[in-house]
Amino acid sequence: MKKTSKTFLMSPRWNSVLAAILIFTASLPAGAAGNDIGVLKTRYADYLLEARTDVDAVAKHMRTLQGDGAWADIDYTDQTRGAWRTARHLSRIEDMARIYRDSDSAYRGNADVKAAILKALGYWLEHDFTNPNWWSNDIGVPQSILNILILMDGEVPAAMVQRAMNSSLKRSKIGMTGQNKVWLAGNVFLRSLLTGDEKQMKKARDTIFSEVRVTTKEGIQPDWSFHQHGPQQQFGNYGKNFGDSITRWALVFRGTDYALDSGRLAILRDYLLRGPSWIMWKGHFDFSACGRQIGENCQPRKGRETLAQLERMLRIDSANADHYRRIIENNRNETVNIMVGNKQFWSSDMMAHRRPQWYASVKMSSERVIGGEMINSENMNGLHLGDGVLFVYRTALEYDGIQAIWDWHRLPGTTTDQSIKDLTPGRVRCRLPTDFVGGVSDGSNGLAAFDYKRDGLSARKSWFFLDDAIVCLGAGIHADESGSVLTSVQQSLLRGAVVTASGEAKPGAAALQSGDWVHHADIGYLILDGAKTTLRIANQEGSWKKVIGRRPEAPVAGDVFSIWVDHGRAPKNGSYAYAVFPEASAADMARRAANPGFLILRNTPELQAVASAEGVQAVFYVPGELALPNGQTILTDTPCIASVSQSPDGRSVCVAEPTGKKVGLELKIGGETIIVELPVGGDAGKTDQQAITGR
């Protein structure tokens, strides 16, 4: 049932009229409903009516609309490439069209509303405003105008429709790749729907769904991540928009001869369940998956939009509704996380680790994978976002809105040169000259490794994701020339008391030594090797303008909790070791300092390895041998990442060769020789798992 209030008017969600249509079309032979243009118009309009509309704001816009069809508070000369202010004119018309079309609206069919819509639309069409950003001209503006025309359902004069067809709407043409291709084809479909051109509708439909595929080009990757603008993880921008577009069209086309076929439906299902669902925590998007559009509230907003896609899948893919419902409930209720495990996104140099009470991820980049981008003045200081950022979440609010006051030189998990002044990302600067970047995962635990190289600074970095801890190692930290090189353990919002072995920490900076521990916001940190480590509690100042260039310079401030290791200037063979315990009390940390529950076997530029109750995980940067606590050894003839684990089913080894350049390697474990045929093509870098027969 629709919910209404004085301020917000919620649209009907597939009301009884639509339900009757669906029942009727379901009884027809296959393909019979596909030619019913009226059904498709109604379904698309119902989709548009699901948007929340502020009726009071719409009423104000009607009152302030000028005689010529313009609004005095809109800058029609604006040429900002992102968040184009002039386009608000069309957004206001869309809102008016919603309340005019909505059957439960007090403004349904209101003559004054219609007059305002036509006047404002006429003003836009007369001037045909454009922007330096091609996206607004070819996708955004045509989409808004088409939405208005669909909502008005034939009540816009033919001459005005034709004027739109000859100007704004003709700029949308089928082409490009990935989500841009989907957007353009969607506009072509709507334009053809209005003209009744069924041949062009079919072509546009086929083009939209042609991107529901697994590819190594732009789009859904073999590991279920999403790439756009080259090999770049785009879950939070283009990937999110892709999920929105495809679920929207699948819902509109359902039950007609335009419907999504079962094969592509399976791909869409796998993408949503094995891709973005993995990087949401308590309804918030992992910040590493947000992309360049990282303003206030971006994490909860992107999470809500992704959950809305899963809600559509309840109707599109009802046979698998339980899978979508569990993820939706898991993200909307204060329940223990049921999505537990470790996932390696080998196509995107990223790893996600989930436990019942916490979530963590590490994001890297390489010569294969771009770490980030700055477009339309968005993500102005995100150079290091793909440089081994480690985020750890309990509440999902740890980094919510911190970006305006972050020290972008000290992103959590990174090892960086503090003297770099320009932190603007770019496709060249965010594609590092290194190929030994990746991870190994057995589905439960994982290990990520990063042969980091940037502007003369190099480091061998690894993250061991265990059942209740993350062990972070760094070795071979070297720079011939640099400013101070810091490894950031954490930089998050201050949430409550900070406790150390000496008691509650006070605001300001304090020195830590190897063996010291810190507890904050239910997360513990144990410094294992960090000769010059600093804990700081301080108020940090900044502004959103340094994040998004078009934002005003208004100052922002907040209290921040930080830990970092200082390797000095131009370090030679520097190192660090620390562990994060995301589900620990202060009392637990006191015990963990004496018995951390794991053993660091090696931390050198050649080999990093950790033994725990889960088994042994090791990064061989060069061919070599590792002595195990049980007296056996692991010997490899090829640089690789390996994990040996024991389960009730026996011992097994997981191996990955992150460069993707080898087709096979040989391991010797406890005298047993294991020949590994490595995945190739789109699966290059993926984990290979084999049983070990010996003990």
Side-chain angles (χ1 to χ4, degrees), residues 93-123:
I93 304 174
E94 276 195 71
D95 285 342
M96 288 192 292
R98 285 190 182 91
I99 67 168
Y100 181 79
R101 174 68 179 268
D102 198 315
S103 60
D104 287 351
S105 167
Y107 293 92
R108 167 72 174 178
N110 184 283
D112 291 337
V113 176
K114 178 179 177 179
I117 291 169
L118 297 181
K119 184 185 295 185
L121 181 59
Y123 183 83

Side-chain angles (χ1 to χ4, degrees), residues 471-473 513-516 526-530 577-579 596 598 600:
V471 183
C472 308
L473 302 182
Q513 302 297 324
S514 296
D516 285 347
L526 177 59
I527 307 302
L528 299 163
D529 173 16
Y578 64 91
F598 56 82
I600 297 175

Side-chain angles (χ1 to χ4, degrees), residues 263-576:
R264 287 190 172 91
L265 176 59
I267 293 173
L268 178 61
R269 178 190 312 128
D270 280 339
Y271 169 66
L272 291 172
L273 295 179
R274 300 171 66 180
S277 291
W278 264 87
I279 51 77
M280 282 192 298
W281 183 254
K282 296 183 182 296
H284 289 61
F285 242 52
D286 177 359
F287 191 74
S288 272
C290 282
R292 71 174 191 264
Q293 295 172 347
I294 48 180
E296 305 99 311
N297 301 312
C298 68
Q299 291 180 268
R301 176 175 54 79
K302 292 174 190 284
R304 286 193 301 271
E305 292 169 357
T306 301
L307 290 173
Q309 297 167 23
L310 296 176
E311 285 189 328
R312 289 180 201 148
M313 293 299 289
L314 294 172
R315 293 175 276 174
I316 298 165
D317 188 22
S318 57
N320 293 282
D322 286 347
H323 296 295
Y324 306 113
R325 191 173 291 111
R326 280 196 293 268
I327 295 173
I328 293 168
E329 292 174 352
N330 196 49
N331 280 278
R332 287 190 171 157
N333 300 318
E334 288 296 323
T335 58
V336 172
N337 170 52
I338 60 172
M339 197 171 180
V340 175
N342 179 279
K343 182 162 177 56
Q344 174 203 7
F345 291 101
W346 65 87
S347 302
S348 296
D349 293 344
M350 184 174 179
M351 181 169 282
H353 192 65
R354 304 175 66 95
R355 286 299 182 262
Q357 299 289 355
W358 57 278
Y359 165 95
S361 71
V362 63
K363 183 181 180 183
M364 305 167 288
S365 53
S366 62
E367 64 181 20
R368 304 177 307 273
V369 175
I370 301 169
E373 65 181 0
M374 189 281 289
I375 296 178
N376 300 333
S377 78
E378 298 164 351
N379 193 24
M380 296 286 289
N381 280 282
L383 178 68
H384 295 309
L385 280 173
D387 286 9
V389 171
L390 175 70
F391 289 129
V392 183
Y393 296 90
R394 286 290 305 268
T395 66
L397 302 177
E398 284 79 3
Y399 313 98
D400 191 21
I402 195 176
Q403 293 74 33
I405 58 174
W406 245 349
D407 181 342
W408 287 80
H409 287 89
R410 292 191 292 106
L411 302 185
T414 62
T415 300
T416 53
D417 179 354
Q418 303 299 290
S419 68
I420 296 178
K421 291 183 171 58
D422 182 8
L423 296 180
T424 306
R427 295 190 187 186
V428 175
R429 299 187 77 196
C430 289
R431 203 164 185 164
L432 300 181
T434 179
D435 61 1
F436 196 90
V437 182
V440 68
S441 174
D442 62 8
S444 178
N445 298 303
L447 164 58
F450 195 8
D451 185 10
Y452 177 65
K453 296 176 183 178
R454 179 182 288 286
D455 299 335
L457 171 64
S458 59
R460 298 278 171 78
K461 297 169 66 69
S462 56
W463 297 264
F464 298 76
F465 292 94
L466 307 177
D467 186 56
D468 64 351
I470 308 164
V471 183
C472 308
L473 302 182
I477 302 171
H478 181 93
D480 291 329
E481 296 181 7
S482 71
S484 294
V485 174
L486 305 184
T487 293
S488 177
V489 176
Q490 183 61 285
Q491 188 186 183
S492 63
L493 292 169
L494 182 67
R495 304 288 191 190
V498 177
V499 179
T500 70
S502 303
E504 183 172 340
K506 304 300 182 184
L512 300 175
Q513 302 297 324
S514 296
D516 285 347
W517 58 266
V518 179
H519 183 265
H520 169 247
D522 296 324
I523 301 175
Y525 306 85
L526 177 59
I527 307 302
L528 299 163
D529 173 16
K532 191 177 180 183
T533 302
T534 299
L535 161 67
R536 189 176 77 175
I537 304 168
N539 187 267
Q540 292 181 189
E541 297 182 349
S543 78
W544 282 106
K545 188 173 183 60
K546 72 177 183 180
V547 181
I548 302 174
R550 61 179 177 267
R551 295 294 304 276
E553 194 70 70
V556 179
D559 293 332
V560 176
F561 163 77
S562 301
I563 304 175
W564 68 82
V565 181
D566 188 347
H567 305 287
R569 294 178 177 272
K572 302 293 186 291
N573 201 30
S575 65
Y576 66 82

Side-chain angles (χ1 to χ4, degrees), residues 564-632:
W564 68 82
V565 181
D566 188 347
H567 305 287
R569 294 178 177 272
K572 302 293 186 291
N573 201 30
S575 65
Y576 66 82
Y578 64 91
V580 183
F581 298 91
E583 192 177 355
S585 64
D588 292 332
M589 290 308 301
R591 292 190 292 270
R592 288 287 198 171
N595 181 17
F598 56 82
L599 177 64
I600 297 175
L601 302 178
R602 295 281 288 276
N603 184 24
T604 69
E606 298 76 30
L607 175 59
Q608 292 171 320
V610 168
S612 67
E614 287 84 18
V616 175
Q617 298 172 310
V619 186
F620 293 90
Y621 294 98
V622 297
E625 186 175 18
L626 171 66
L628 303 180
N630 64 3
Q632 296 182 348

